[in-house]
Amino acid sequence: MEKFDAIVIGAGAAGLFCAAQAGQRGLRVLVLDNGKKAGRKILMSGGGRCNFTNLYTEPAAYLSHNPHFCKSALARFTQWDFIALVQKYQIAYHEKTLGQLFCDDSAQQIIDLLLAECELGTVTVRLRSEVTSVEKQGEEFVVTVNGKQVSTHSLIVACGGLSMPGLGATPFGYRLAEQFGLPVLPTRAALVPFTLHKPLLAELQALSGVAVPATVTAQNGTRFAENILFTHRGLSGPAILQISSYWQPGEYVSINLLPGTDLAEFFAVQREKHPNLSLRNALAKLLPKRLVECLQTMGDLPDVALNQLSKAAQQDITDKLQNWQVQPNGTEGYRTAEVTLGGMDTLALSSKTMEARDVQGLYFIGEVTDVTGWLGGYNFQWAWSSAWACAQALPFA
Ligand code: FAD
């Protein structure tokens, strides 16, 4: 049976980076992935340009039942460390917004970087290699892949979460944890668009494709200020994806379509200058025309001139535009979710090494763990940081 110092399940961001780092320390490393290409999610990420980290990475940008867990790895391998690597490979990048760093050209450059780093570490990467079972025999993990067996003292589970099954996602990492008696927290699709109940969806149909800057607030008070996008299924856009991680089924979200605007003052000024201006045309100065028309069709805007607008009607409009209460029907689920909330309970892992406290030699890194970042490069940074921490700790066989 072939033996390796370490076997990594999953050639995604976390698996490839961990393998490369361990290989460069001199370990003999094997990476196994069920897909025909390495790093498939990386290729899809950031609209094909990979938002590979965030300048403002900090533990507060991560959701976890154990919020302290991510601190050590994020502090030991930081966004600056990954940026230095990107610079070493002369990959041109830019900050798009809010500290989000994207490749100028293509996400393929990040995959090429990872594969080049693996080559430096003489890592063996085997694709089209689905791991179907793992058994522990003494100190060895015996891994069955494509009907053959390989073994190791150090098994690194980097097989990601459940989002985007079309890109190879499987629950294998969770099943493996359970097989070894380790706790797995309930999972849920996150960074995912909302679907809406049919009546509201029908009313908003005409808005499909319209984007507006907004603030969106979850029932627990968490708030994001970015664009929202009306879609033919419901609501999407960065602010919605962000808030989806904080939303529980049945809850409302509050949407302010005019953040930073004092509507009372706006109406007062407009009324003074243009008393005969229709409410609709006044609002079209602040909002996309299609949105204003839709509000009117929905019966939310009286067909009046500004000088006929009653105080009560003005308050109604203000509530509708700045505190719009929406109860999503659900989310689009794992099919389109960028990440999975929950997963391998980090209380059972060492935050320094990512090794399971009760199963020597078994490590969990990346998205399979219950650490989920905000939108904006935070999830890749967790992949790099957790992978790096693990790679430093792996022993020679
Ligand atoms: P993955 O990248 O999911 O890798 C796991 C690998 O394991 C997969 O290749 C899978 O096929 C393989 N695997 C699973 N089971 C088995 C098995 N039994 N045997 C063998 N192989 C197996 N995050 C950002 O920070 N910035 C972005 O711009 C960004 N954009 C995204 C865009 C999209 C469309 C999606 C879906 C996600 C995006 N994310 C982004 C999130 C980010 O891609 C993930 O958090 C990150 O890829 C997780 O890395 P990972 O290595 O833990 O898991």
Side-chain angles (χ1 to χ4, degrees):
M1 196 188 312
E2 259 186 308
K3 280 193 178 182
F4 291 85
D5 291 327
I7 295 179
V8 181
I9 309 177
L16 288 174
F17 195 56
C18 180
Q21 296 297 314
Q24 289 175 30
R25 283 184 50 228
L27 275 79
R28 203 169 157 246
V29 186
L30 171 67
V31 183
L32 299 167
D33 195 282
N34 56 6
K36 56 180 181 192
K37 277 188 176 165
R40 281 170 296 172
K41 264 190 200 164
I42 301 174
L43 199 57
M44 293 281 292
S45 69
R49 293 219 160 89
C50 187
N51 177 193
F52 55 81
T53 192
N54 193 294
L55 293 176
Y56 307 121
T57 299
E58 51 158 349
Y62 292 86
L63 291 88
S64 173
H65 286 81
N66 178 12
H68 298 297
F69 180 80
C70 63
K71 289 183 178 171
S72 166
L74 290 175
R76 288 164 65 219
F77 187 86
T78 68
Q79 61 272 41
W80 311 112
D81 294 315
F82 196 76
I83 292 167
L85 192 59
V86 168
Q87 287 169 344
K88 183 176 138 196
Y89 280 82
Q90 297 180 341
I91 298 173
Y93 64 90
H94 60 278
E95 179 186 350
K96 195 170 167 195
T97 175
L98 302 169
Q100 302 167 3
L101 299 190
F102 287 75
C103 299
D104 285 357
D105 295 330
S106 163
Q108 182 64 45
Q109 294 173 293
I110 299 295
I111 300 176
D112 293 344
L113 174 160
L114 293 168
L115 292 175
E117 286 288 298
C118 280
E119 226 171 285
L120 280 178
T122 334
V123 172
T124 306
V125 180
R126 289 188 190 148
L127 303 172
R128 292 188 164 99
S129 297
E130 172 132 20
V131 176
T132 44
S133 70
V134 173
E135 251 181 76
K136 195 153 192 206
Q137 296 178 0
E139 303 224 315
E140 299 268 303
F141 293 94
V142 177
V143 175
T144 303
V145 52
N146 296 348
K148 290 197 180 128
Q149 294 190 318
V150 282
S151 78
T152 184
H153 279 162
S154 297
L155 183 65
I156 297 100
V157 183
C159 39
L162 297 173
S163 51
M164 299 230 171
L167 294 179
T170 73
F172 189 77
Y174 307 135
R175 299 294 91 85
L176 198 60
E178 285 164 353
Q179 178 192 333
F180 284 95
L182 300 172
V184 176
L185 296 163
T187 59
R188 180 157 72 76
L191 298 183
V192 62
F194 284 142
T195 56
L196 296 174
H197 293 283
K198 270 203 177 131
L200 181 59
L201 189 61
E203 288 183 316
L204 298 177
Q205 247 345 276
L207 290 182
S208 183
V210 171
V212 278
T215 57
V216 186
T217 311
Q219 258 179 238
N220 74 355
T222 306
R223 174 175 302 173
F224 289 95
E226 280 186 75
N227 273 0
I228 68 165
L229 171 71
F230 294 89
T231 72
H232 63 286
R233 288 201 187 87
L235 293 172
S236 186
I240 294 292
L241 299 185
Q242 297 279 35
I243 216 70
S244 71
S245 301
Y246 292 86
W247 176 80
Q248 301 290 339
E251 288 185 354
Y252 282 80
V253 294
S254 160
I255 301 180
N256 182 347
L257 294 165
L258 287 169
T261 300
D262 183 337
L263 262 185
E265 191 188 318
F266 170 79
F267 283 129
V269 171
Q270 295 297 316
R271 197 182 290 117
E272 176 79 23
K273 283 193 192 160
H274 319 283
N276 294 321
L277 183 69
S278 68
L279 173 62
R280 172 182 164 159
N281 285 344
L283 285 176
K285 294 182 182 191
L286 298 174
L287 291 163
K289 213 170 153 204
R290 266 162 77 190
L291 177 53
V292 178
E293 281 166 2
C294 181
L295 286 167
Q296 194 153 42
T297 317
M298 285 164 74
D300 289 325
L301 290 189
D303 189 12
V304 292
L306 290 180
N307 59 3
Q308 293 163 342
L309 185 64
S310 69
K311 271 225 158 98
Q314 185 175 313
Q315 189 53 50
D316 267 7
I317 295 156
T318 306
D319 282 349
K320 188 81 195 176
L321 293 176
Q322 297 198 307
N323 188 16
W324 179 31
Q325 298 292 314
V326 181
Q327 187 186 34
N329 181 22
T331 72
E332 289 187 8
Y334 293 117
R335 194 180 56 81
T336 60
E338 285 203 10
V339 284
T340 304
L341 269 175
M344 176 63 213
D345 189 346
T346 58
L347 284 173
L349 302 177
S350 152
S351 62
K352 187 153 185 261
T353 64
M354 308 291 143
E355 187 177 17
R357 293 184 193 283
D358 294 336
V359 186
Q360 199 189 352
L362 186 60
Y363 301 78
F364 291 81
I365 57 172
E367 196 181 318
V368 73
T369 62
D370 169 37
V371 176
T372 306
W374 288 349
L375 187 79
Y378 297 97
N379 284 296
F380 279 136
Q381 187 58 46
W382 173 244
W384 317 135
S385 297
S386 58
W388 186 90
C390 173
Q392 306 315 305
L394 294 173
F396 290 87

PDB file of all heavy atoms in Angstrom, residues 17 73 122 140 148 155 189 214 273 323 341 358 372:
ATOM      1  N   PHE A  17      -3.520  24.679  -0.539  1.00  0.00           N
ATOM      2  CA  PHE A  17      -2.570  25.533   0.180  1.00  0.00           C
ATOM      3  C   PHE A  17      -1.896  24.761   1.313  1.00  0.00           C
ATOM      4  O   PHE A  17      -0.686  24.884   1.527  1.00  0.00           O
ATOM      5  CB  PHE A  17      -3.279  26.784   0.708  1.00  0.00           C
ATOM      6  CG  PHE A  17      -2.316  27.851   1.121  1.00  0.00           C
ATOM      7  CD1 PHE A  17      -1.367  28.333   0.239  1.00  0.00           C
ATOM      8  CD2 PHE A  17      -2.342  28.386   2.403  1.00  0.00           C
ATOM      9  CE1 PHE A  17      -0.454  29.311   0.608  1.00  0.00           C
ATOM     10  CE2 PHE A  17      -1.436  29.369   2.791  1.00  0.00           C
ATOM     11  CZ  PHE A  17      -0.496  29.825   1.890  1.00  0.00           C
ATOM     12  N   ALA A  73      -5.391  31.263  13.976  1.00  0.00           N
ATOM     13  CA  ALA A  73      -4.934  31.024  12.597  1.00  0.00           C
ATOM     14  C   ALA A  73      -4.926  32.326  11.796  1.00  0.00           C
ATOM     15  O   ALA A  73      -3.983  32.595  11.041  1.00  0.00           O
ATOM     16  CB  ALA A  73      -5.831  29.982  11.930  1.00  0.00           C
ATOM     17  N   THR A 122       6.743  19.375  -4.100  1.00  0.00           N
ATOM     18  CA  THR A 122       6.667  18.014  -4.671  1.00  0.00           C
ATOM     19  C   THR A 122       5.420  17.267  -4.199  1.00  0.00           C
ATOM     20  O   THR A 122       5.481  16.076  -3.851  1.00  0.00           O
ATOM     21  CB  THR A 122       7.954  17.198  -4.332  1.00  0.00           C
ATOM     22  OG1 THR A 122       9.040  18.093  -4.126  1.00  0.00           O
ATOM     23  CG2 THR A 122       8.310  16.255  -5.460  1.00  0.00           C
ATOM     24  N   GLU A 140      -2.544   4.436  11.682  1.00  0.00           N
ATOM     25  CA  GLU A 140      -2.665   4.745  10.253  1.00  0.00           C
ATOM     26  C   GLU A 140      -4.114   5.001   9.853  1.00  0.00           C
ATOM     27  O   GLU A 140      -5.022   4.307  10.313  1.00  0.00           O
ATOM     28  CB  GLU A 140      -2.214   3.529   9.421  1.00  0.00           C
ATOM     29  CG  GLU A 140      -0.794   3.107   9.611  1.00  0.00           C
ATOM     30  CD  GLU A 140       0.124   3.770   8.604  1.00  0.00           C
ATOM     31  OE1 GLU A 140      -0.112   3.618   7.403  1.00  0.00           O
ATOM     32  OE2 GLU A 140       1.063   4.457   9.053  1.00  0.00           O
ATOM     33  N   LYS A 148      -8.851   1.765  -4.633  1.00  0.00           N
ATOM     34  CA  LYS A 148      -7.502   1.414  -4.144  1.00  0.00           C
ATOM     35  C   LYS A 148      -7.297   2.015  -2.754  1.00  0.00           C
ATOM     36  O   LYS A 148      -8.013   2.914  -2.357  1.00  0.00           O
ATOM     37  CB  LYS A 148      -6.442   1.975  -5.087  1.00  0.00           C
ATOM     38  CG  LYS A 148      -6.411   1.269  -6.422  1.00  0.00           C
ATOM     39  CD  LYS A 148      -5.105   1.571  -7.124  1.00  0.00           C
ATOM     40  CE  LYS A 148      -5.080   0.854  -8.467  1.00  0.00           C
ATOM     41  NZ  LYS A 148      -4.756   1.755  -9.551  1.00  0.00           N
ATOM     42  N   LEU A 155      -4.298  12.769   8.307  1.00  0.00           N
ATOM     43  CA  LEU A 155      -5.344  12.924   7.294  1.00  0.00           C
ATOM     44  C   LEU A 155      -5.967  14.301   7.440  1.00  0.00           C
ATOM     45  O   LEU A 155      -6.464  14.656   8.522  1.00  0.00           O
ATOM     46  CB  LEU A 155      -6.408  11.835   7.478  1.00  0.00           C
ATOM     47  CG  LEU A 155      -7.532  11.849   6.427  1.00  0.00           C
ATOM     48  CD1 LEU A 155      -6.979  11.523   5.037  1.00  0.00           C
ATOM     49  CD2 LEU A 155      -8.614  10.824   6.798  1.00  0.00           C
ATOM     50  N   ALA A 189     -27.482  26.864   4.160  1.00  0.00           N
ATOM     51  CA  ALA A 189     -26.923  27.653   3.056  1.00  0.00           C
ATOM     52  C   ALA A 189     -26.756  29.108   3.496  1.00  0.00           C
ATOM     53  O   ALA A 189     -27.639  29.655   4.161  1.00  0.00           O
ATOM     54  CB  ALA A 189     -27.845  27.573   1.853  1.00  0.00           C
ATOM     55  N   ALA A 214     -28.503  50.068  -0.603  1.00  0.00           N
ATOM     56  CA  ALA A 214     -29.476  49.968   0.498  1.00  0.00           C
ATOM     57  C   ALA A 214     -28.745  49.557   1.770  1.00  0.00           C
ATOM     58  O   ALA A 214     -27.583  49.150   1.723  1.00  0.00           O
ATOM     59  CB  ALA A 214     -30.524  48.909   0.145  1.00  0.00           C
ATOM     60  N   LYS A 273     -39.633  74.167  -3.766  1.00  0.00           N
ATOM     61  CA  LYS A 273     -39.153  74.543  -5.104  1.00  0.00           C
ATOM     62  C   LYS A 273     -40.158  74.200  -6.191  1.00  0.00           C
ATOM     63  O   LYS A 273     -40.317  74.925  -7.153  1.00  0.00           O
ATOM     64  CB  LYS A 273     -37.852  73.786  -5.395  1.00  0.00           C
ATOM     65  CG  LYS A 273     -36.638  74.329  -4.712  1.00  0.00           C
ATOM     66  CD  LYS A 273     -35.417  73.673  -5.359  1.00  0.00           C
ATOM     67  CE  LYS A 273     -34.153  73.904  -4.605  1.00  0.00           C
ATOM     68  NZ  LYS A 273     -33.115  72.940  -4.943  1.00  0.00           N
ATOM     69  N   ASN A 323     -37.903  51.650   5.820  1.00  0.00           N
ATOM     70  CA  ASN A 323     -38.031  50.568   6.806  1.00  0.00           C
ATOM     71  C   ASN A 323     -38.977  49.510   6.227  1.00  0.00           C
ATOM     72  O   ASN A 323     -39.976  49.152   6.819  1.00  0.00           O
ATOM     73  CB  ASN A 323     -38.578  51.141   8.117  1.00  0.00           C
ATOM     74  CG  ASN A 323     -38.558  50.123   9.236  1.00  0.00           C
ATOM     75  OD1 ASN A 323     -37.885  49.100   9.146  1.00  0.00           O
ATOM     76  ND2 ASN A 323     -39.333  50.376  10.285  1.00  0.00           N
ATOM     77  N   LEU A 341     -23.027  27.464   6.325  1.00  0.00           N
ATOM     78  CA  LEU A 341     -22.882  27.795   7.757  1.00  0.00           C
ATOM     79  C   LEU A 341     -22.891  26.499   8.556  1.00  0.00           C
ATOM     80  O   LEU A 341     -23.554  25.539   8.168  1.00  0.00           O
ATOM     81  CB  LEU A 341     -24.087  28.596   8.220  1.00  0.00           C
ATOM     82  CG  LEU A 341     -24.068  30.109   8.154  1.00  0.00           C
ATOM     83  CD1 LEU A 341     -25.433  30.646   8.560  1.00  0.00           C
ATOM     84  CD2 LEU A 341     -23.017  30.690   9.078  1.00  0.00           C
ATOM     85  N   ASP A 358      -9.670  14.616  19.966  1.00  0.00           N
ATOM     86  CA  ASP A 358      -9.821  13.224  20.392  1.00  0.00           C
ATOM     87  C   ASP A 358      -9.424  12.196  19.342  1.00  0.00           C
ATOM     88  O   ASP A 358      -9.556  10.994  19.582  1.00  0.00           O
ATOM     89  CB  ASP A 358     -11.286  12.969  20.806  1.00  0.00           C
ATOM     90  CG  ASP A 358     -11.641  13.776  22.052  1.00  0.00           C
ATOM     91  OD1 ASP A 358     -10.710  14.129  22.813  1.00  0.00           O
ATOM     92  OD2 ASP A 358     -12.835  14.074  22.233  1.00  0.00           O
ATOM     93  N   THR A 372     -17.511  30.652   9.140  1.00  0.00           N
ATOM     94  CA  THR A 372     -18.054  31.170   7.882  1.00  0.00           C
ATOM     95  C   THR A 372     -17.846  32.662   7.821  1.00  0.00           C
ATOM     96  O   THR A 372     -18.282  33.395   8.713  1.00  0.00           O
ATOM     97  CB  THR A 372     -19.572  30.870   7.797  1.00  0.00           C
ATOM     98  OG1 THR A 372     -19.766  29.475   8.001  1.00  0.00           O
ATOM     99  CG2 THR A 372     -20.125  31.275   6.439  1.00  0.00           C
TER     100      THR A 372
END
